[in-house]
Amino acid sequence: MRRLIPAAAAALLAGGPAHAQDVTGEIDRMFSWVTPGSPGCAVGVSRNGQVLVNRVYGMADLERGVALTPETPFDVGSVTKQFVAASILLLADEGRLSLSDDVRKFIPELPDYGHTITIDHLLTHTSGLRDWTWLSSVTGAREGSLPLILRQRGLNFAPGEEWSYSNSGYELLREVVARVSGQPLAEFMRTRLFEPLGMRNTRYAQDVREVPNAALAYEKQGERWTPEMRLGNARGGGGVFSTAGDLLVWNDALTGSRLGAFVSEKIQEPARLSNGRRLGYARGLFLDAAGDRELVWHSGDAGAYSATVVRLPKQGVSLALLCNGGEAADDGNYEADIIDLLVPPSASSAAAAAAMAAGAPPAAATPDLGSRAGLFFHERTGEPLRVVVNDGRLRIAGGPPLVALGNDRFRNPRGVLSFMSQDEFELHFVSQDQLELRSMEGQTTRYRRARPYAPAAADLAAFAGRYETDEIGAVELTPAGNGLSGRLNASPPIVFAPVDPDVFQAGATTIRFRRDAAGKVIGLDLTSPALRNAHFPRRSDAANTPAPAPARPSPVEPSVYEGTYALQAPDRVIDLRVWVDAQGRLNGELVGRGQQTTFRPTSTEHSFLHATSDNVWFQFTVENGRAPSATMGQSGREISGPRKP
């Protein structure tokens, strides 16, 4: 998704003509950059169902000299998601499925992750599934999106705990529509969406070669335009091809509930995490409040195609912008400028925009912000968190500036959907080397500062080798100066620097090595923005089996933990049964859920991780050689309880 309304929110509110006497003339001037013989854009604008503008600029096919027309379909990329969501909601409205259904009810070949992934988790990007587009780029997979998704046996987080944009969820939803309806997805959308609404130039297809008279897409290279489109498997499960005029019809249909009240209400109902947090995403649609203007929108791209579809339901305004000119079409903030023509920002909106653009006030009163900055790790899962100083302000890397509440406390003043799932958290520096992150719901996560680590040549040699999993591929490491040169499959090598004992980092990618009881390196865990704690066993080890536990940090025998613990959840008591198996390993089971696991000891005394997920941990208190209580944590949530007699 390249064209993002949130990134332009301040500009959208900051100004524009107070009144637009000639909307068409203004829009013509916006797209005067389109030169004869070049690709361009299609623009559609309506108010209260009346089309005000339906204009095209540029060429559809440079090789054949075909110009764009209002009937020329474009690949709309991820704008397709709202059509998939509407298809699912139609089936739900008919009672043929429920949004709370386990996805494996319809796709039983999907791995059992130890958590239930519901249809609604897929619709709202809260499933935790790894994104297939990133996986495809690093694995070079050619078998298509669905086989690649089904090959993954790990999640980035427990379903419902976080928000993270994942194309994988919508690939599975396409499959669900086809299996439940008994129709190919293209046929279902044609008969249930496009034809009933009168969208005559819209269709679902695998790629542009199946769409008559479609616009081709081009990227500028030097002085030449080069074709740039996703075809075949690179296109995933296919997508919608449409025109600006048809997308205005679609927007008006949602506003007017032409698909039924349930579909129209549910598709734009804000999603919530399992902790109750309300998100700026619904089902296939983003939701943004820009001052006194509420926007419902989605963008998309596919190769050099780009698309944005926006509604302002309260004002009855609708906008569709489709382009086939690659980055040349991204140079302006056209959506925001067009909306300003139709719905001029109020004085209060302009003031809000100015405040947003200014960001948080500098924390000048807080001494030595530089000493706060650094790399920290989650005390139980090892997940990295980097604190930085930019322009005199403290922030977590990737997030907005923080507001100082005191010498050691800071607050995130506004939630951003793509950053920590829109959390408006507080950061408390307990000491120079330890901090606590308190979520807006009151959950506290503790982090410790990275410890200096300078591996010797022999240490680097011990890390070198090939690590491989059939889920993702292979990581190859060789010593490089004071660090390691690493390559993931056929990607260019990058140098990882040591940042903590057995931990190396390059940019936003972290690798953490695993050792067996004898201290031998037997695997690594890789974390990046698109992948979390993916385990790569060393090639000589049995592939894709849980790594043996590291040396136990305490001489206490595992038998001190055996028993059943009554964990106090908000609405019920969950029994955790703990026992030692024949191999002397500590095991656990949530009674009644059928989820057994072998615990992996961590470097913290009496602390263990789930065998296959570092997002789930167990901590025991031990007194006089016996554990009287236990705590289970998962993605920032904790439940504790006593040991039963």
Side-chain angles (χ1 to χ4, degrees):
M1 300 188 314
R2 267 189 315 205
R3 309 182 70 85
L4 296 178
I5 294 293
L12 185 152
L13 290 170
H19 299 86
Q21 300 298 326
D22 183 355
V23 174
T24 301
E26 291 287 347
I27 291 175
D28 285 345
R29 281 188 284 275
M30 289 182 197
F31 291 91
S32 60
W33 58 268
V34 180
T35 57
S38 73
C41 299
V43 184
V45 178
S46 69
R47 187 196 295 273
N48 297 325
Q50 179 184 357
V51 176
L52 305 180
V53 175
N54 192 5
R55 305 278 282 176
V56 293
Y57 310 89
M59 305 296 290
D61 186 332
L62 301 186
E63 288 74 23
R64 295 171 180 81
V66 179
L68 290 168
T69 74
E71 289 73 40
T72 303
F74 291 70
D75 186 336
V76 301
S78 285
V79 171
T80 295
K81 288 181 171 62
Q82 58 196 286
F83 297 104
V84 176
S87 299
I88 288 286
L89 293 172
L90 281 173
L91 294 172
D93 196 24
E94 295 167 356
R96 301 169 74 178
L97 58 79
S98 169
L99 300 189
S100 61
D101 281 340
D102 187 336
V103 179
R104 298 183 73 244
K105 175 180 178 180
F106 310 104
I107 309 179
E109 62 269 38
L110 188 70
D112 184 351
Y113 298 105
H115 302 277
T116 298
I117 297 177
T118 67
I119 295 293
D120 210 34
H121 287 143
L122 302 184
L123 286 168
T124 57
H125 294 299
T126 58
S127 68
L129 288 167
R130 298 166 178 168
D131 184 61
W132 80 265
T133 57
W134 181 87
L135 291 169
S136 179
S137 69
V138 299
T139 62
R142 298 182 181 275
E143 74 270 43
S145 55
L146 188 58
L148 183 57
I149 295 167
L150 296 178
R151 204 164 69 223
Q152 306 304 308
R153 290 184 295 278
L155 298 175
N156 282 344
F157 51 83
E161 298 294 327
E162 300 180 35
W163 186 93
S164 181
Y165 193 87
S166 173
N167 290 288
S168 296
Y170 274 79
E171 290 299 299
L172 296 180
L173 289 171
R174 299 173 204 252
E175 190 69 17
V176 170
V177 173
R179 294 188 186 188
V180 172
S181 69
Q183 294 178 287
L185 183 58
E187 182 69 7
F188 183 90
M189 287 189 174
R190 181 181 69 81
T191 59
R192 300 299 306 278
L193 298 179
F194 306 143
E195 286 186 353
L197 295 178
M199 299 171 67
R200 294 175 297 176
N201 296 302
T202 302
R203 64 186 294 174
Y204 181 90
Q206 290 297 312
D207 63 46
V208 68
R209 293 172 293 189
E210 300 177 15
V211 183
N213 304 316
L216 306 183
Y218 302 85
E219 201 72 74
K220 192 111 181 238
Q221 296 186 353
E223 296 302 314
R224 298 184 58 188
W225 289 100
T226 303
E228 181 62 36
M229 292 162 282
R230 290 185 178 177
L231 307 174
N233 284 341
R235 187 68 183 83
V240 168
F241 290 75
S242 189
T243 64
D246 274 7
L247 292 171
L248 295 181
V249 171
W250 172 255
N251 269 353
D252 290 338
L254 292 182
T255 299
S257 299
R258 289 184 59 192
L259 294 174
F262 176 80
V263 175
S264 291
E265 291 171 8
K266 208 70 178 176
I267 201 170
Q268 58 190 12
E269 175 188 79
R272 291 184 182 272
L273 298 182
S274 54
N275 62 11
R277 184 185 306 164
R278 177 171 164 157
L279 301 175
Y281 194 87
R283 289 157 187 85
L285 289 166
F286 288 92
L287 309 172
D288 280 292
D292 55 357
R293 300 182 292 187
E294 296 180 0
L295 286 74
V296 182
W297 67 279
H298 211 289
S299 63
D301 63 44
Y305 294 103
S306 60
T308 307
V309 180
V310 189
R311 281 188 298 136
L312 284 77
K314 290 184 177 180
Q315 290 84 7
V317 169
S318 178
L319 164 67
L321 173 61
L322 309 174
C323 298
N324 67 334
E327 293 184 3
D330 289 337
D331 291 340
N333 190 24
Y334 309 114
E335 303 96 330
D337 293 338
I338 293 170
I339 291 172
D340 273 344
L341 287 174
L342 299 166
V343 187
S346 65
S348 60
S349 296
M356 183 184 297
T366 303
D368 193 15
L369 284 180
S371 66
R372 304 292 193 196
L375 178 64
F376 293 79
F377 291 101
H378 191 295
E379 286 191 344
R380 292 194 176 94
T381 68
E383 185 177 352
L385 180 146
R386 186 174 291 277
V387 179
V388 299
V389 178
N390 290 130
D391 298 326
R393 299 170 183 171
L394 201 69
R395 70 174 74 202
I396 293 176
L402 303 178
V403 174
L405 302 178
N407 288 340
D408 56 7
R409 291 184 181 272
F410 300 81
R411 183 174 63 85
N412 180 24
R414 57 186 175 91
V416 178
L417 184 62
S418 59
F419 176 69
M420 291 191 175
S421 306
Q422 217 165 329
D423 191 4
E424 297 177 6
F425 57 85
E426 287 190 12
L427 209 61
H428 175 210
F429 286 86
V430 180
S431 67
Q432 185 66 20
D433 296 325
Q434 188 178 64
L435 63 82
E436 292 181 344
L437 190 150
R438 181 180 174 86
S439 74
M440 58 195 295
E441 293 80 25
Q443 295 294 325
T444 299
T445 307
R446 304 192 76 174
Y447 292 81
R448 64 162 180 84
R449 188 180 292 274
R451 297 184 289 263
Y453 179 49
D459 297 320
L460 296 176
F463 294 131
R466 183 180 177 89
Y467 301 78
E468 192 167 5
T469 168
D470 62 9
E471 296 175 80
I472 300 167
V475 174
E476 295 191 49
L477 297 168
T478 57
N482 296 323
L484 295 167
S485 176
R487 180 195 299 269
L488 176 58
N489 298 318
S491 62
I494 56 177
V495 176
F496 289 83
V499 294
D500 202 57
D502 286 356
V503 182
F504 292 73
Q505 199 171 71
T509 301
T510 303
I511 54 177
R512 178 184 299 274
F513 290 96
R514 293 188 178 192
R515 298 178 182 270
D516 62 14
K520 178 185 176 182
V521 176
I522 50 125
L524 64 81
D525 292 333
L526 186 147
T527 292
S528 75
L531 190 67
R532 192 178 300 178
N533 286 321
H535 181 52
F536 290 72
R538 203 160 197 158
R539 190 174 187 180
S540 59
D541 301 312
N544 302 311
T545 57
R552 185 172 298 282
S554 168
V556 175
E557 290 297 321
S559 60
V560 302
Y561 307 108
E562 286 188 317
T564 299
Y565 300 81
L567 305 182
Q568 309 293 318
D571 57 346
R572 63 194 182 281
V573 175
I574 301 174
D575 284 346
L576 170 66
R577 186 170 68 91
V578 178
W579 73 95
V580 178
D581 62 20
Q583 288 75 41
R585 298 173 304 182
L586 199 63
N587 289 260
E589 175 189 18
L590 296 178
V591 178
R593 296 192 176 187
Q595 299 175 12
Q596 297 185 5
T597 184
T598 300
F599 291 162
R600 292 187 286 115
T602 72
S603 59
T604 303
E605 194 171 25
H606 310 308
S607 178
F608 300 81
L609 294 176
H610 192 283
T612 59
S613 175
D614 284 354
N615 290 325
V616 182
W617 51 265
F618 305 86
Q619 178 75 47
F620 296 87
T621 58
V622 175
E623 299 174 0
N624 300 319
R626 187 175 184 274
S629 64
T631 299
M632 184 179 80
Q634 181 175 332
S635 302
R637 304 174 70 189
E638 300 180 8
I639 54 176
S640 302
R643 187 177 191 163
K644 289 186 174 181

